[in-house]
Amino acid sequence: MRLEVPRLHALIFIGRLDAPELAGLAPLDRLVHTAAAAGCRRVHLAGARAAEAFSRLQERTRAAVAVAPVGPAEEAAGVVDDLAREPRVLVLHGDVAIDPPSLRTFLDRAAAARGVGAVVAVREGPAPRHPAAATLTMAGRPAHTVGLAVVPGEAAAVVAPAEDGATPLFAQLAREHESGAVALQAVHGALPCLVDDAGRAAVEAALVRAAGKETDGFVSRLFNRRISGAVTRLLLAGRVAPNTITFALLGLGVLTGLILLEGSHAAVVVGTLLYQINSTLDGCDGEIARVRFETSRFGAWADTLSDQVTNLAFFVALPLGLYRRTGDPVHFALAVLIVAGVVTLLGAVYVKSRRIGDEAHFSDYGRSIARAFAPGSFAARAIATVSTFLRRDSYALLFFVLALAGADAFIVYLIAAGVLVHFASIALPARGRQELDA
């Protein structure tokens, strides 16, 4: 069961308006975007400098959420009265760093907590040096609030902060917990946390890690995302646009194909290396877009176009290059087969995935087939495993290793076999997330 999102407020306590950017966004801008992405539709800024913060947000932030300033004393009275009529209110401190999925998870857990005074997020470990942090006892061990809570609407009277942005709310919740009136909900992992200057780099790294995709294969999770995450953090500092990276990778894919057409073994080694680099860095544009809340339909389709052009350039140029080197007509025939197969498959996957959901989702195609079978069944596990190995992060690395071993022709045979396996998948049933949620 979920909270009634249209009735949910997010009160963001203003921290330092001059705080350094966090992963390419001002902290307050990031928090407003996060609240909107997690389902909040009304955000009130509470604090002595709320009007100034609201003015800045109007200039910089286009989040799909209504934002209203709440000043201290008499200016806040009307909003506090309004909030008192709400069943529950989400409260975040302005210095909290959290990604939308973690916030949605917290809201789901808070919605499941019945008959409690409030639900607060806590972490164990060293106490944050922050006015929104308070120490309490959880399971006999000390824990600390991290500036995130869901409280009853009538508790909104305690949100009016002092002039320096401090608030007694979390300290009061800690005291009430010690008396048995508050239920705690711990959010595990790197997020959320209160950001200070010393821990800023670690928090940015955690935000980038949280921007990985659910459809990542095991090579991406274990290897590629570690490299792309480090590159992403450098690009965030340089304010590089996600689409710039997408089209740069598209150019790299075309260059890979041109190198492979030369046909020599050295060209195959260099081409497969560039293909592996392309696969590794392919996560950067999406990571930046998700971390900076710059995702768009155009960006998603540009990324898909870049991926498919890169794949097609590699799949076609490699056998044609070998044909130029050896003169073996089998290599030319395989090139024709692969081109015809890939083009046909793209059309078939597009049509089928459009039937599953609202739009084509090539990266989720294998999982959509696995979901059509009983959860945990042999068929579901087998398809999920095979689809993992058929992702580009897996076979790009394999191709590079084979090229180093001198097995150039074997790579072509593997590509042709992969095309045939994908043709077999078209006959299998598939289900989208919408069907499972219905």
Side-chain angles (χ1 to χ4, degrees):
M1 180 177 180
R2 293 179 178 272
L3 289 173
E4 297 180 11
V5 172
R7 290 175 58 80
L8 184 64
H9 288 270
L11 281 95
I12 302 177
F13 297 133
I14 305 303
R16 293 180 299 158
L17 295 184
D18 58 349
E21 287 189 348
L22 187 65
L25 275 181
L28 183 58
D29 297 8
R30 172 172 299 284
L31 206 51
V32 170
H33 278 295
T34 301
C40 302
R41 290 297 173 262
R42 287 186 289 171
V43 173
H44 293 280
L45 307 180
R49 302 174 68 185
E52 180 183 352
F54 175 64
S55 178
R56 293 190 184 187
L57 284 169
Q58 283 185 311
E59 297 175 1
R60 297 192 308 257
T61 305
R62 292 182 174 85
V65 60
V67 181
V70 180
E74 67 279 356
E75 296 179 20
V79 174
V80 169
D81 290 342
D82 180 46
L83 291 173
R85 293 189 289 271
E86 296 292 333
R88 290 194 172 188
V89 176
L90 170 66
V91 181
L92 305 95
H93 193 281
D95 291 337
V96 165
I98 186 170
D99 62 304
S102 295
L103 182 55
R104 283 194 294 268
T105 297
F106 176 79
L107 292 176
D108 287 342
R109 293 176 180 176
R114 297 290 181 178
V116 298
V119 180
V120 301
V122 298
R123 292 183 69 189
E124 296 182 354
R129 296 181 179 179
H130 197 283
T135 302
L136 41 81
T137 302
M138 184 179 68
R141 293 159 55 174
H144 317 287
T145 60
V146 292
L148 172 64
V150 170
V151 302
E154 59 267 21
V158 303
V159 306
E163 291 297 318
D164 60 358
T167 172
L169 174 62
F170 293 97
Q172 179 175 327
L173 289 176
R175 289 193 298 269
E176 292 186 359
H177 164 69
E178 300 297 340
S179 67
V182 174
L184 295 182
Q185 178 62 63
V187 179
H188 300 286
L191 302 173
C193 61
L194 288 161
V195 183
D196 57 21
D197 291 337
R200 188 168 301 276
V203 171
E204 289 183 338
L207 287 170
V208 171
R209 284 196 301 272
K213 294 193 297 186
E214 180 187 346
T215 54
D216 283 346
F218 75 95
V219 173
S220 281
R221 294 177 187 274
L222 297 178
F223 178 67
N224 290 1
R225 285 290 178 186
R226 297 176 185 272
I227 297 176
S228 69
V231 174
T232 293
R233 293 196 294 275
L234 294 176
L235 296 174
L236 283 169
R239 296 185 175 278
V240 179
N243 290 340
T244 300
I245 303 168
T246 300
F247 289 111
L249 291 175
L250 173 61
L252 180 60
V254 173
L255 175 63
T256 300
L258 294 175
I259 291 175
L260 289 171
L261 281 174
E262 194 273 330
S264 67
H265 174 64
V268 174
V269 172
V270 173
T272 53
L273 173 61
L274 293 179
Y275 191 56
Q276 168 61 20
I277 292 173
N278 192 303
S279 174
T280 301
L281 299 183
D282 184 49
C284 292
D285 50 0
E287 287 169 348
I288 290 177
R290 287 186 288 275
V291 168
R292 287 206 308 233
F293 298 93
E294 295 178 358
T295 56
S296 67
R297 186 179 181 86
F298 174 80
W301 276 106
D303 183 62
T304 297
L305 173 66
S306 175
D307 290 345
Q308 302 310 325
V309 169
T310 296
N311 290 337
L312 193 58
F314 183 91
F315 295 162
V316 175
L318 179 59
L320 287 180
L322 290 180
Y323 174 68
R324 290 186 61 189
R325 186 206 304 179
T326 65
D328 188 345
V330 172
H331 293 148
F332 182 81
L334 287 174
V336 174
L337 170 66
I338 291 169
V339 172
V342 169
V343 172
T344 304
L345 281 170
L346 286 176
V349 170
Y350 175 85
V351 171
K352 190 168 185 177
S353 59
R354 287 283 300 206
R355 293 173 181 170
I356 297 170
D358 294 331
E359 58 184 73
H361 48 283
F362 297 99
S363 63
D364 192 41
Y365 184 62
R367 294 186 182 218
S368 68
I369 293 174
R371 287 194 297 265
F373 297 89
S377 66
F378 174 79
R381 293 198 305 270
I383 292 172
T385 301
V386 171
S387 65
T388 297
F389 284 99
L390 292 178
R391 295 187 185 280
R392 186 170 67 159
D393 62 311
S394 298
Y395 60 72
L397 181 59
L398 175 62
F399 291 167
F400 178 55
V401 172
L402 290 173
L404 290 177
D408 300 357
F410 188 60
I411 299 174
V412 177
Y413 298 138
L414 282 179
I415 295 172
V419 170
L420 295 177
V421 169
H422 275 84
F423 265 112
S425 73
I426 296 177
L428 295 173
R431 295 174 67 189
R433 301 178 191 279
Q434 298 90 335
E435 295 178 78
L436 298 177
D437 295 336

